[in-house]
């Protein structure tokens, strides 16, 4: 499956907006629910890549995945590593709820 630039830019703009909306929930000392904090950190980890897509530029996938995996250094658990591992596998999406 391949997406065109317009589709990628739409998703990137949405992620960037989500990052702005969730910015109050960043940090290891925030008392928000874990899933909200995780969403904030995922959006923050990938906001530069979203900006690159918005500007029709490329980014390094491996660097982006390392930033997602690094979420585990801030939040308890292994969600960052789980997401990065899942996303590193082509055509695989983690749909666990």
């Amino acid at each position: 499956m391949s997406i065109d630039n317009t589709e990628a830019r739409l998703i990137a703009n949405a992620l960037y907006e989500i990052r702005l909306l969730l910015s109050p929930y960043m940090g290891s000392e925030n008392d928000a629910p874990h899933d909200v904090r995780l969403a904030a950190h995922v959006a923050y980890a990938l906001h530069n890549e979203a900006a690159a897509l918005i500007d029709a530029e490329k980014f390094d996938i491996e660097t982006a995945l390392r930033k997602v995996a690094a979420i585990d250094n801030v939040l308890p658990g292994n969600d960052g590593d789980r997401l990065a591992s899942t996303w590193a596998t082509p055509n695989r999406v983690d749909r666990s709820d």
Side-chain angles (χ1 to χ4, degrees):
M1 181 178 138
S2 176
I3 61 172
D4 70 28
N5 193 36
T6 303
E7 292 167 327
R9 290 182 68 209
L10 182 143
I11 298 302
N13 274 294
L15 177 62
Y16 204 88
E17 185 67 23
I18 290 166
R19 178 249 186 255
L20 295 173
L21 293 168
L22 291 175
S23 63
Y25 302 102
M26 292 291 298
S28 59
E29 301 299 317
N30 195 293
D31 62 356
H34 180 77
D35 56 344
V36 173
R37 293 170 55 213
L38 176 60
H41 283 271
V42 169
Y44 185 80
L46 296 176
H47 79 275
N48 286 330
E49 288 73 14
L53 287 175
I54 292 166
D55 294 336
E57 297 174 2
K58 295 196 178 271
F59 62 88
D60 183 59
I61 298 279
E62 292 302 318
T63 299
L65 293 172
R66 279 194 300 276
K67 289 194 280 187
V68 171
I71 291 169
D72 295 343
N73 296 330
V74 179
L75 298 179
N78 68 341
D79 294 304
D81 188 55
R82 175 184 58 80
L83 291 171
S85 295
T86 299
W87 296 342
T89 306
N91 301 319
R92 180 143 185 258
V93 176
D94 185 2
R95 298 188 196 280
S96 61
D97 292 339

